[in-house]
Amino acid sequence: MSVTLSEYFCEIPCGETIPFENPHAVSVSLPEIQNVIDYEEGELQVIDKMKSGYPRFFQNQFVKQLTQFIKEKHEISNEKILIPITSIQARNCIEKVFNVLFEYIEDEYENVFLILDSNDENTRKYEDFIRNTGLIISSRKAEATLYELNLIDSIFEEATVSEEQAIFNIKNTLSKAYGTSSEKIILSNCGMNALFSATEALISVQKEFGKTKIVQLGWLYVDTMEIIERKEKSHVQINIFDLVQLENWLEKNHKNVAVLITEVVSNPLIQCVDLPRLYELCSRFSIKLIVDNTLGTPFCVDVLSYCDVAVESLTKFACGNADLLFGAIVVNDKSLVSLLSENVIPPFEGEVKRLGFQILDYENRVKRISENTILLHDYLKTQSKIVEIKSVFHKDSIENFSKIKKGNCVPGLLSVVFDKDLAYYYDKLKLAKGPSLGTEFTLAMPYVYLAHYNYLKSEKGLSKLEELGINPNLLRISVGIEPIEDIIKAFQLVLE
């Protein structure tokens, strides 16, 4: 069924797929704050309603069905946990990191299922690593397997192109946007796998110089931080604007620092670091700089001139429909390409064919979203019930952003704080509300509730949020391409 963007300006039932009626949806409707709390607390009244969710945190229905089939076929006891992953390569990656050998099942379609003991105290570590590094099976691969096994009647119909054409479309679009050759672009099955693979490759290069430490600059995406924290030697500086502090620290500690990781722009505070100056610092101290450009996009900002590696989750603005997982690594040094192969999980052909169609509108999508973001920002800043707006227009970021911006485009996100608890306004908003971003339809996310829910449950956690400058009531708005009048009207109904 064809869905128009205007159909998202309504009260979408809890658990409904976003996008609508799409079995590969990576978002889900959580229309009230209590729904979000119930989901985080594992309440079945909400969990059982959910037809979709972000795949690294919620198991897709096709994946769930295939896993259950394998469990029954191989008579796996309930004391065991069956974890579906992408491939033998993914299994090798986990075994290498944890120095263990897993019992596993590989089916005739090259899907791999780890067999873990539910009583093993390390099981949670393995599951977190699989999530952090994006080693999960593609929903389209699970769907294709179920179809081959005659367990479903058909494959979901969607617009695609041939695999060969798709790879050309994806690499050609990205190479033009980043201003580089397609040989320096590596595709992976998701953004987190791209970041993990890039980090491992650069550390392997730096090891021969005695450099193994990672520096995290800014409060980054939760999985990124967990990848960094897993390394024994890591350093965190939250304030991205104080590069004097960073420089002073590097003066004393740079000899063993291999990599610095940051986001342009940051999530959810939409802050922009002085990237040219940061790159100069890293170059001076022989530190490799990785920039996550998912929120900035290569059509809004030029990052490749000021980093060693850019990574991007193509799940977001490049896709625009929130119905796949996909990642890309863009390197400045071509010699890194061969080093990436050990940990990069290639995307399944079904995901490639879908993104190959969607990415053709990437530049136009970003430009339209940018125009709407500027207009929505101008409206919201006039509203007395909005007490704070986080954006690249903020006085701390605007000058830094101007150094790397392309044309008049701005990142399509705004984070706002209201004059009352978030629930008061969030519950009344008539638009899509759930995880993810970069969609053609406007999508609002109660960021702290979904990304850092545990921080809301203790005074220590709340103090941590205050220290980070993240208001618990912050609402992140991913602006869509709908008529700006429709977007503004959705907010007028609750603000005016």
Side-chain angles (χ1 to χ4, degrees), residues 256-403:
N256 65 350
V257 176
V259 176
L260 187 146
I261 301 174
T262 196
E263 295 172 345
V264 175
V265 292
S266 69
N267 185 16
L269 298 180
I270 327 298
Q271 295 176 330
C272 188
V273 69
D274 184 342
L275 191 58
R277 186 178 171 206
L278 176 62
Y279 189 44
E280 184 277 323
L281 270 180
C282 289
S283 299
R284 191 197 317 167
F285 294 116
S286 300
I287 297 165
K288 301 298 184 183
L289 176 58
I290 298 177
V291 171
D292 185 335
N293 194 35
T294 298
L295 273 63
T297 82
F299 294 107
C300 285
V301 291
D302 172 22
V303 299
L304 201 59
S305 299
Y306 308 107
C307 69
D308 296 285
V309 176
V311 298
E312 184 180 350
S313 171
L314 303 181
T315 299
K316 311 302 192 299
F317 293 96
C319 164
N321 291 273
D323 65 355
L324 54 74
L325 289 187
F326 215 114
I329 307 167
V330 188
V331 301
N332 262 321
D333 183 352
K334 193 177 176 182
S335 67
L336 282 174
V337 173
S338 60
L339 293 174
L340 289 163
S341 60
E342 182 178 353
N343 292 302
V344 168
I345 303 298
F348 174 62
E349 67 175 275
E351 314 291 336
V352 174
K353 291 176 179 178
R354 178 63 172 155
L355 183 62
F357 170 80
Q358 295 167 319
I359 204 167
L360 291 175
D361 203 35
Y362 189 7
E363 182 175 11
N364 181 52
R365 181 184 302 123
V366 167
K367 288 180 176 178
R368 292 172 66 187
I369 286 173
S370 172
E371 290 169 1
N372 278 349
T373 302
I374 294 168
L375 293 170
L376 181 60
H377 175 268
D378 290 346
Y379 164 74
L380 292 174
K381 72 180 182 181
T382 68
Q383 299 304 302
S384 60
K385 293 172 183 175
I386 301 285
V387 298
E388 190 175 13
I389 304 177
K390 303 288 189 182
S391 75
V392 292
F393 303 113
H394 192 279
K395 61 182 177 63
D396 292 335
S397 289
I398 189 67
E399 184 179 346
N400 294 341
F401 180 69
S402 69
K403 294 179 181 181

Side-chain angles (χ1 to χ4, degrees), residues 34-277:
Q34 190 58 50
N35 301 145
V36 181
I37 293 171
D38 289 343
Y39 162 70
E40 293 288 349
E41 294 286 350
E43 297 290 342
L44 294 181
Q45 65 204 44
V46 166
I47 301 292
D48 289 346
K49 289 179 182 177
M50 292 173 65
K51 299 176 184 177
S52 63
Y54 204 77
R56 286 182 299 99
F57 299 89
F58 183 89
Q59 196 169 71
N60 176 273
Q61 300 300 325
F62 288 136
V63 175
K64 189 179 293 184
Q65 184 179 350
L66 178 60
T67 304
Q68 185 61 31
F69 169 77
I70 294 295
K71 184 175 182 177
E72 292 174 2
K73 178 182 177 180
H74 294 270
E75 299 180 343
I76 305 297
S77 77
N78 290 329
E79 293 180 2
K80 300 287 185 178
I81 300 174
L82 209 58
I83 306 291
I85 57 175
T86 58
S87 59
I88 288 294
Q89 180 191 2
R91 187 209 68 178
N92 293 341
C93 177
I94 308 167
E95 289 186 340
K96 179 181 177 182
V97 168
F98 291 99
N99 194 28
V100 294
L101 292 176
F102 290 109
E103 184 182 359
Y104 69 97
I105 297 167
E106 183 180 17
D107 68 13
E108 59 189 296
Y109 306 101
E110 298 182 348
N111 301 304
V112 173
F113 302 82
L114 300 183
I115 304 172
L116 305 180
D117 187 341
S118 59
N119 296 316
D120 186 344
E121 60 183 16
N122 292 312
T123 292
R124 179 61 184 271
K125 290 181 184 178
Y126 305 146
E127 290 177 322
D128 286 347
F129 180 80
I130 291 166
R131 173 175 57 81
N132 293 157
T133 55
L135 303 181
I136 61 170
I137 183 176
S138 145
S139 63
R140 286 178 177 81
K141 178 72 181 297
E143 177 190 37
T145 303
L146 290 168
Y147 182 69
E148 290 295 324
L149 291 168
N150 293 316
L151 295 174
I152 57 174
D153 296 328
S154 60
I155 298 290
F156 179 67
E157 291 187 17
E158 56 189 357
T160 61
V161 296
S162 71
E163 185 175 15
E164 182 181 2
Q165 184 65 51
I167 291 172
F168 173 81
N169 290 352
I170 296 167
K171 289 200 169 187
N172 185 56
T173 300
L174 294 177
S175 64
K176 286 181 177 179
Y178 280 97
T180 191
S181 64
S182 60
E183 291 81 9
K184 293 182 178 181
I185 297 170
I186 301 92
L187 305 180
S188 71
N189 74 326
C190 68
M192 286 314 305
N193 182 251
L195 189 135
F196 171 71
S197 301
T199 304
E200 292 296 302
L202 287 176
I203 288 177
S204 70
V205 168
Q206 294 280 63
K207 267 184 180 177
E208 62 180 283
F209 305 107
K211 290 172 165 280
T212 57
K213 194 167 190 170
I214 299 178
V215 172
Q216 170 190 325
L217 182 60
W219 187 252
L220 309 181
Y221 181 60
V222 58
D223 278 317
T224 302
M225 292 192 293
E226 288 182 13
I227 286 175
I228 294 169
E229 289 165 4
R230 188 169 284 109
K231 298 292 182 182
E232 290 182 14
K233 298 179 179 179
S234 63
H235 173 73
V236 177
Q237 180 179 316
I238 296 301
N239 185 352
I240 69 167
F241 300 117
D242 194 347
L243 294 188
V244 172
Q245 177 186 345
L246 179 64
E247 182 176 12
N248 290 338
W249 186 88
L250 289 175
E251 288 277 6
K252 300 174 184 176
N253 301 281
H254 69 273
K255 290 183 179 179
N256 65 350
V257 176
V259 176
L260 187 146
I261 301 174
T262 196
E263 295 172 345
V264 175
V265 292
S266 69
N267 185 16
L269 298 180
I270 327 298
Q271 295 176 330
C272 188
V273 69
D274 184 342
L275 191 58
R277 186 178 171 206

